[in-house]
Each structure stands twice: as structure tokens, then as C-alpha cells.
Amino acid sequence: MMPLFAVICRDKPGALQIRLDTREAHLAHINTSRIVFMAGPLIEEGEMRGSLVILDAADLAAAQAWADADPYKAAGLFASTEIVEWKKVIG
């Protein structure tokens, strides 16, 4: 297994409709990239308001390239994106 990277994204306030409109393309990106270890939305007050994606990528540059190609980014959904190396300990 290559290093793991956490891609932590926070949506812009009031951007749920952008997320819903772009979700199918985002999921296709996840499925076709073949480097997503696990992923899911961040939930606040019962609403999707961000994303956590764990990538099994060669390096930080590869993780950044994946995040840059995410349709959510192209749609302008995110207020912020952080990518950090992550180590799985439990689970």
C-alpha cells in the first residue's frame, strides 16, 4: 500500500445544491480514479457540508492532482481544502 492522504474539504455556506447537482460526477471521479481508500460526506446539522476522502496515492503531488480534478472543485463547492498524510491505525 502506498501512503494514505486525507483530503478534507469544507463546503461554502449555502452550497448544498451545488453538491447535489455535482454528486454523480464526483462519485464517478471516485470510482474511476482507483486510488480512493474510503470516502464520505461531512455532516453538520443533518446536512452534507463537506467531504473526507482518504487516498492511497503515491505522494502528496498525486493526492493534490486527484483533488484538483474533483468535479466538486470545478463546480466551486469548497470554501477550503486541506490535504495531509494520514496513517490508518484502527479499522
Side-chain angles (χ1 to χ4, degrees):
M1 180 180 280
M2 294 184 277
L4 297 174
F5 295 89
V7 181
I8 306 158
C9 305
R10 294 291 187 161
D11 295 359
K12 292 177 180 172
L16 179 60
Q17 193 59 51
I18 294 171
R19 175 176 281 278
L20 296 175
D21 292 345
T22 315
R23 187 166 171 79
E24 189 173 316
H26 167 74
L27 293 174
H29 177 57
I30 284 175
N31 290 325
T32 60
S33 68
R34 301 190 182 271
I35 67 167
V36 177
F37 181 67
M38 66 176 73
L42 301 175
I43 307 295
E44 294 177 350
E45 298 176 6
E47 186 176 285
M48 294 182 288
R49 294 194 186 161
S51 298
L52 172 62
V53 181
I54 305 298
L55 301 175
D56 186 1
D59 53 28
L60 182 58
Q64 184 67 59
W66 184 92
D68 288 344
D70 187 346
Y72 279 166
K73 180 178 181 180
L77 176 62
F78 299 133
S80 67
T81 300
E82 180 181 10
I83 302 174
V84 294
E85 190 166 350
W86 179 76
K87 181 176 180 171
K88 179 181 174 189
V89 175
I90 298 172

